[in-house]
Each structure stands twice: as structure tokens, then as C-alpha cells.
Amino acid sequence: MIAATLRPDAATALIIVDLQVDFLPGGRLAVAAGDAVVPLANELAQRFGTVILTQDWHPAGHISFASSHPGQVPFATIPLPYGPQVLWPDHCVQGSAGAQFAPGLDVPHAQLIIRKGHHASVDSYSTFYEADPAIPTGLTGYLRARGIGRVVLMGLAYDFCVSWSALDAVRDGFETLVVADACRAIDTGGSLAQADAQMAAAGVRLCRMADVGG
Ligand code: VGL
Ligand code: ZN
């Protein structure tokens, strides 16, 4: 881990990734100890003026659901036109209880919610680009228009939506940090080791809660 300290300023945004009921213990795609990061999000958010929430937001029958592919099972990987796709249990269906934010999430000053994965035939782990990288969410333009040059990410899951978002943030020229102890991973098929390697190679900096000043 590359330690980094930072003081959030007007050019820094916090992005809280997918703290939703379906990713918490008891949810449809539960991340182990995912609930542990909810209070960390609340605490971290107090240190930032610009806070963005992301929300996984799939239509029923989404292409990332194993149930949409007869004979397939969750956590298998299949080829799709935009690349390999891990198949998941049905989760974060638009408007469902599981798609709501974690009950303990308390970030009333968040200014933007990015919903992603809403195209039926394209998944979107990243909050910047869908799995088809030709489809942007618009977040880069929003951040640029507000003079944001640095993003700090935390949330669920470290090895999917957090790391893919971090890699795209670097690609679009943002200084990018991930608060590692405020994330939890799914870790399927080597995804955790791969996320670590890709983020290190791309120049994503990892830090801890204690490194983020107020
Ligand atoms: C996520 C798998 C499927 C995530 C979302 O939030 O990391 N993972 N959809
Ligand atoms: Zn999803």
C-alpha cells in the first residue's frame, strides 16, 4: 500500500460507492462486513464539501444477472460484446428495497447521486464509464465544471465498483485516492488481487481513514 495523506479542499470530491441494502449482510449480493463501512462513510463525508453518492440501479432482467442467462450460475464469467462479464445474483433492481441506500447512511450534504447499470444490456461498475467504455455517465464533466481535480473513493465493493471507478478517474486525469480501510471486497475469481495490481499500475493511491484530514 502506498500511504498518502491529504487535506480535502475545494478541488477534492468524495465519492461514496454503492452503500446499498443489497450489498450489506443479508442483501442479495452481500459483501462480507459491508455494513462496517457505513459509519466510516458518514464520518469521512464530514471532512468534504463535495460528496457524490453512487447507486447501482439495474432494470429487472439485467444482462449482469445470472438469471438472465439460462444454465448460468452466479459468479460464473461469460463473454459479452463489451468484454468478460461476471454474472451476479439479481441485485439492486430499480426501485426495489435492496437498491435503497444503507439505512444508516447519513450524508445529507451529498450533492449528486450517480445511478449506473441502468442500460439493460450493459453493466457499469464504474461511476465514470459503463462496461462499454464508449458510454460515459457524465460525472467527469460534472467534476470538471466544478473545478474538481482530485477524487477520493470509498465503499463497496473494493474490487468491482470502487476499483473500476478509480481506474476510470485516473484515465480521465483526476488525482485518485482510495480509502482502503473504508472499503470491503467481494473477492471472486482473483478479483481482489487483480484490482490491487491494476490500481497500483495505474497510479491510484491507497490511503486510510486516518490519512484524510478534515
Ligand atoms: C457491484 C457487482 C455487481 C459493486 C455492483 O458495487 O461493486 N459489484 N454490481
Ligand atoms: Zn450491479
Side-chain angles (χ1 to χ4, degrees):
M1 177 183 297
I2 304 164
T5 57
L6 83 139
R7 191 152 294 280
D9 56 16
T12 308
L14 175 67
I15 303 177
I16 297 176
V17 178
D18 292 4
L19 295 190
Q20 293 169 259
V21 170
D22 271 343
F23 296 124
L24 304 181
R28 299 173 88 176
L29 177 41
V31 180
D35 52 336
V37 305
V38 174
L40 304 184
N42 297 342
E43 187 186 330
L44 210 48
Q46 294 305 316
R47 308 177 197 168
F48 289 79
T50 301
V51 182
I52 293 152
L53 304 176
T54 78
Q55 196 170 24
D56 214 37
W57 198 251
H58 301 306
H62 190 249
I63 197 161
S64 75
F65 298 169
S67 63
S68 303
H69 305 270
Q72 292 291 347
V73 292
F75 303 100
T77 300
I78 63 165
L80 287 178
Y82 54 78
Q85 172 71 52
V86 180
L87 297 177
W88 305 107
D90 291 20
H91 65 279
C92 297
V93 173
Q94 294 172 0
S96 68
Q100 303 310 306
F101 287 116
L105 187 66
D106 183 21
V107 188
H109 64 298
Q111 294 150 14
L112 178 71
I113 298 170
I114 292 282
R115 287 176 164 169
K116 58 189 180 57
H118 48 78
H119 289 127
S121 59
V122 188
D123 204 2
S124 186
Y125 299 137
S126 164
T127 189
F128 289 90
Y129 294 89
E130 302 198 10
D132 175 345
I135 310 174
T137 63
L139 180 56
T140 294
Y142 172 90
L143 294 171
R144 289 279 174 236
R146 294 170 57 119
I148 304 285
R150 181 165 66 172
V151 297
V152 178
L153 294 128
M154 59 82 53
L156 304 172
Y158 177 82
D159 43 345
F160 287 93
C161 291
V162 174
S163 65
W164 285 54
S165 296
L167 292 168
D168 279 347
V170 168
R171 218 167 282 144
D172 273 1
F174 295 98
E175 183 185 347
T176 307
L177 294 99
V178 170
V179 188
D181 56 351
C183 299
R184 294 294 183 273
I186 294 174
D187 198 9
T188 179
S191 58
L192 177 53
Q194 185 180 319
D196 275 330
Q198 289 181 332
M199 288 197 288
V204 174
R205 291 195 291 153
L206 300 183
C207 65
R208 291 154 298 157
M209 288 287 296
D211 300 321
V212 184

